[in-house]
Every structure is written in C-alpha cells, then in structure tokens.
Amino acid sequence: MAWASIDDGVTGDSVWLDRSWDGGTTWEGLLGKASIPGTWTGTRTLMYNVTDPRGHRRGLVRACGDAAGVGCTNWVYPTVCDTLCDGTGADRASGDDQSVPSTTLYGRTVRLHVDQKNSTAWASVEGGGAGDEIWLDRSWDGGSTWPDGSSLGRTTTPSGAGGTRTAMYATRDPRGLLYGGAVRACGREASHNEGSCTAWARPAPTRARAAADTLMASYDPYNGWWPSSWWNSAATLTAVVDFARASGTHDYDWVIARTFDRNKGVFAAGTRSSDAIEGDFISRAVDDSAWWAIAWIDAYDYTHDARYLDEAVTIADYVQQYWDTGTCGGGVWWDRERTYKNAVTNGQYLWLTTALHQRLAGDTVWLRRAKTSAAWYRASGLIGPAGLVNDGLTSSCANNGSTVWSYNQGLAIGGFTELWRSTGDGSLLATARTLADAAIAGQPLTVGGVLTESCDVGSASCDDNQKQFKGVFVRNLADLASATGASAYRSYLQKQADTLWARDRTSLNALGERWAGTGPDQTDWRTQASALQALTAAG
C-alpha cells in the first residue's frame, strides 16, 4: 500500500495519490486528497492498494501536491522484480526453454524463450533485416488482458543484422501478490504494420511450483478463500501448505493466516456456502467442518502456530457430537439432521482423532476415540469384499453399494496409516495396504495405470466436489508410501504426476480433471489443487 504526504507547506496546500493500471498511460487521480488545515505545515492521505491481485492488475502510484502549482513524484514500482528484475540481459538466463511453437511473419521467425529457473522470459526475431521489431506482452490473467505489459523490451533490429532479442522480464511479482504471469513473444516486419505473436506461456521452474502459481491466480486475497466453494477451499489450502512444506517455498505463507483471519467468523447462508457458517468454520455439514479441521492441523504442523491446532480441536469437538452408537453401533453422521452415515465423514473422523492424539501432549481421550473409530470402520461394512470403500451405509446399516470414490479410499488409507504410527498395531497398516492395493490394481479407480473417477469416463463430467477427490487420495497414499517404503506406491504416485503433466496440461500450466488427458476435460482451481497434490506427492 502507499500514501502521500506534504511537508513545509501552508494552509490550503494539498496532497493526493494518482494510481494507474496501465503503466502510467492513464490514472485514477486525486485519491485521498487532503489539504493542510490551519496552524499545520503538512498532512498526508489515507493508504491505497498498489496492486489488485484479485483483479489480476499490477498498479503504479505517484504522489502529487498542489502548493501554488502542481507537482508529482515519479511512478513507483514500474519494474517487476522476483529472482531477477525486468530488463535483465538475456545473457544472464539460466537456460533457454522454448515451451510454445514459434510464429512466422513475412519470412521472419518470432520465438519465446523462457528461463524456467528464474521465471523470466525474452523474445527474439530472426531471418529478417533492419527495422524489424520484437517485444514481449505480459499478462496477469492468463492472456485475457495485458494493460501494463504490452510492448515490453521493444527492440529494433539494427542495420546489418538479421535479428535481435529483448531483455528478460519477470513473470512473478511476489511484492504485488501476483504469481503465474503469462508472456508471449510478438514481432513486426519493418515495412508492414501488422504483427504476429506466439501463444501465451507460463514458466515452470518446477512442476509443483508451476501448478501452485497457476492455482494462486484464483485465490481471492480480500476474502481469503477460493470462491466459491467452502470445503474445496479447505482442501485447496491443504494442498498449498503441503506444497510449501515439501518445496521450502515460502511465497504463499501469508495465505494461511489470511484464510484463517477472514473466515473464522459467522457468515449467512449463501455467502461462503449454501449453509450458514456459524463461526469456527462450522456448519450443519459435518464433513465440510472436518475438512477445515484437517487444513488447520496441516497449517499447525507447518507454522507451529498454536491457534491453528486450537481451531482443529474446536472443530473436532463439534464433529464428535455426531458420533452415535444408537445407529449402526457407531460412526459419525454426515449432517446435523442425522440422515446418513457415510465413508467420507468417518474417514475424516478416524484421521482427525488420530492426528489430535499425536499433537496433544498426554492425550488418551482422542486415542481411545481413534481406536474405537478404526474398529467400527472395519466392521461397518463400508469396505466391500474387493477392498474398495463404497460411499456409505443404508438405513439398515449395510454397505449401500454406491460409487467408489477415490477420496473415500484415500481418507481410510490415511486414517489407518496414522493410527498405526501411533499404536504400532500391524493390523492397521495391513488394512491401509489392502485398501491401497485395491485402488491401484485396476478398475474402477485405476484405468491404464492412471487414477480415474467414475465421472472421468466416457462423456461424463465431474461436479465441483468430485473434481478434487483425486488430490485427497494421492495425499494419503503418499503417507502410506512414506510409512512403508513400498516401491509400488512410490511408482504409482510418480506415474500420476508424469501422466497429468504430459497429457493434461496447457501452456499456461492449467491442469485438468482427467489426468489421462482424455476428453471432455474440465479445468478450474479445484482440478488444479488436486493435481498439485499429485505433483507434490511425487516430489
């Protein structure tokens, strides 16, 4: 943020900010204009945002004053800096990746060059002559607009040369909370007005960081979530935290506190969820509440901030109210109305009770609950004879034969694995392995070696919930792989990452629902978060 001040003035002198979203060509003027009151010699404005990450805009600001004449400072932050700054010579690049095809124009070849390590890019033109021009366009919204990034580094081919190149420009602006900027190379032949541009591309310094940068373009930093899905935002925050911990990348650490602070309160139905949020991330949907408890345990592990663990306990206490031995001998109800005992809520409960025991010194209560949950889960009928978890139980407490979803399988794998870590009971680890082996062996969850939901097949399409299921599975399978050291699980995780990166990625590093790359595919921040979990799990 920025503000303007005026000093050594007289009554009536004034000061304000100008802010531009197009590199200083046009601007919003007189922001916060303030005049020096009587007996004072100076004053200042309020503060204003320099950038607009929710609107994918990078702004510039300047201070202006009127004291018997108007004067302004230079624009602030015209240069983007990350590892390297705008204008760095291409001779300093750590590699030259031409990730999109070149384009031609009157016999000239225009190329986009990417320094993946430093997330910078430059453009070149070759096969031409004097007067040919080359430049970069830079966009913060995937190529939809580029108001502050047109004609970056515009360079003219000198006399006697057949081509030239621009300097390098950054594609990430951490200072402005803008990540995953896209670039393209454009050129113009000397004697014609029209130009030609390559496709847009985003750098990929690592596969996981490329996925995370693209994911963050959908985060709303003002409201602190990924609109507009409540439980999906919890699972997505978990994906971001897992990535940060595994990679050592701290660019997104601020997201954890921002999400917590902006969403801990009360929200009317329709604001964050179709249900009212009653405070502490709790709603009538018991499973939605539990996703947030899982996210805050993950945040606590990463930050060691006790408020996140305290929040997880508060939510888990709420979930505990819906453990009911009066129906089916136990298990947690899916909703406050107690209409359904299903796999997702009970997988979450097993994982949560175990996780709290592991983190609360001297605990015996949560461990007892975890052991009871594990015994009930194995005897409940949720696990079918083939080792696959069906969606839930009938009103008569039998397996309902409903869809086998990957996230139900994954939550059970993770819950039994973690309880084994706490107790050393080998039967728990054996159950986790049985569930994992059934999932990766073949249909319905694995097709051609690739994790597949039933809604990934044929002309079907997954809804917003189902888009994120696979990420939950791979996160928990990675836990089992770490616990056992089994090469089969490691190989499976690597296969998922390699396949989705090769078959299900655009030049903007957007990752879709169908990791095998088949159509019809869907791509949004939920599919991006799910794929990020796979890339993180593979390492």
Side-chain angles (χ1 to χ4, degrees), residues 144-326:
S144 296
T145 62
W146 51 100
D148 77 317
S150 182
S151 297
L152 294 176
R154 196 175 190 112
T155 303
T156 301
T157 303
S159 177
T164 190
R165 67 185 182 187
T166 69
M168 293 195 295
Y169 287 81
T171 62
R172 305 173 83 252
D173 182 13
R175 178 176 56 205
L177 305 184
L178 291 165
Y179 310 95
V183 287
R184 67 179 180 182
C186 300
R188 186 186 72 84
E189 190 267 338
S191 59
H192 294 82
N193 288 326
E194 67 267 29
S196 184
C197 299
T198 68
W200 292 97
R202 284 188 177 115
T206 68
R207 300 192 303 190
R209 192 172 116 175
D213 280 347
T214 302
L215 174 63
M216 283 306 302
S218 298
Y219 184 74
D220 178 354
Y222 302 135
N223 291 319
W225 73 321
W226 283 266
S228 301
S229 292
W230 181 241
W231 85 262
N232 297 81
S233 286
T236 299
L237 180 65
T238 303
V240 172
V241 172
D242 287 349
F243 160 72
R245 182 168 54 240
S247 67
T249 302
H250 295 285
D251 287 348
Y252 310 129
D253 288 3
W254 62 273
V255 174
I256 303 170
R258 185 64 175 175
T259 304
F260 185 88
D261 292 338
R262 297 295 291 170
N263 292 282
K264 191 177 186 297
V266 175
F267 299 92
T271 305
R272 287 292 191 270
S273 168
S274 58
D275 298 321
I277 307 302
E278 300 160 5
D280 291 308
F281 305 88
I282 288 169
S283 69
R284 57 163 290 280
V286 178
D287 61 330
D288 284 8
S289 306
W291 287 117
W292 284 104
I294 292 170
W296 297 129
I297 287 174
D298 205 29
Y300 169 74
D301 289 347
Y302 179 58
T303 66
H304 308 296
D305 187 333
R307 67 176 178 158
Y308 300 133
L309 182 58
D310 292 343
E311 189 65 45
V313 171
T314 296
I315 300 170
D317 284 339
Y318 169 73
V319 175
Q320 176 63 35
Q321 296 176 37
Y322 295 93
W323 175 271
D324 177 15
T325 59

Side-chain angles (χ1 to χ4, degrees), residues 90 170 176 191 238 278 282 325 327 344 354 375 378 405 462 467 491:
S191 59
T238 303
E278 300 160 5
I282 288 169
T325 59
T327 301
V344 60
T354 305
R378 286 196 286 193
W405 297 111
C462 297
K467 289 173 183 176
S491 297

Side-chain angles (χ1 to χ4, degrees), residues 335-357:
D335 56 6
R336 185 175 291 165
E337 294 76 16
R338 301 179 181 238
T339 63
Y340 187 33
K341 287 194 173 177
N342 64 351
V344 60
T345 316
N346 284 285
Q348 292 170 317
Y349 180 78
L350 174 57
W351 191 92
L352 276 175
T353 51
T354 305
L356 291 178
H357 164 69

Side-chain angles (χ1 to χ4, degrees), residues 103-156:
T103 186
T104 59
L105 179 69
Y106 297 106
R108 279 73 170 159
T109 300
V110 174
R111 302 184 189 277
L112 176 66
H113 307 261
V114 175
D115 174 357
Q116 301 285 16
K117 178 181 178 182
N118 293 306
S119 296
T120 56
W122 72 98
S124 70
V125 61
E126 58 192 57
D132 293 345
E133 292 182 318
I134 187 72
W135 66 90
L136 282 173
D137 288 341
R138 177 170 60 196
S139 171
W140 300 108
D141 58 8
S144 296
T145 62
W146 51 100
D148 77 317
S150 182
S151 297
L152 294 176
R154 196 175 190 112
T155 303
T156 301

Side-chain angles (χ1 to χ4, degrees), residues 341-418:
K341 287 194 173 177
N342 64 351
V344 60
T345 316
N346 284 285
Q348 292 170 317
Y349 180 78
L350 174 57
W351 191 92
L352 276 175
T353 51
T354 305
L356 291 178
H357 164 69
Q358 292 169 341
R359 290 158 180 81
L360 297 174
D363 169 73
T364 58
V365 172
W366 290 107
L367 177 60
R368 183 178 69 253
R369 291 169 175 170
K371 290 178 178 179
T372 301
S373 172
W376 178 86
Y377 197 112
R378 286 196 286 193
S380 67
L382 285 170
I383 304 172
L388 296 169
V389 178
N390 293 96
D391 192 68
L393 301 177
T394 67
S395 58
S396 59
C397 300
N399 184 308
N400 63 12
S402 190
T403 306
V404 174
W405 297 111
S406 66
Y407 79 148
N408 287 330
Q409 201 81 9
L411 284 167
I413 290 168
F416 284 111
T417 299
E418 284 304 304

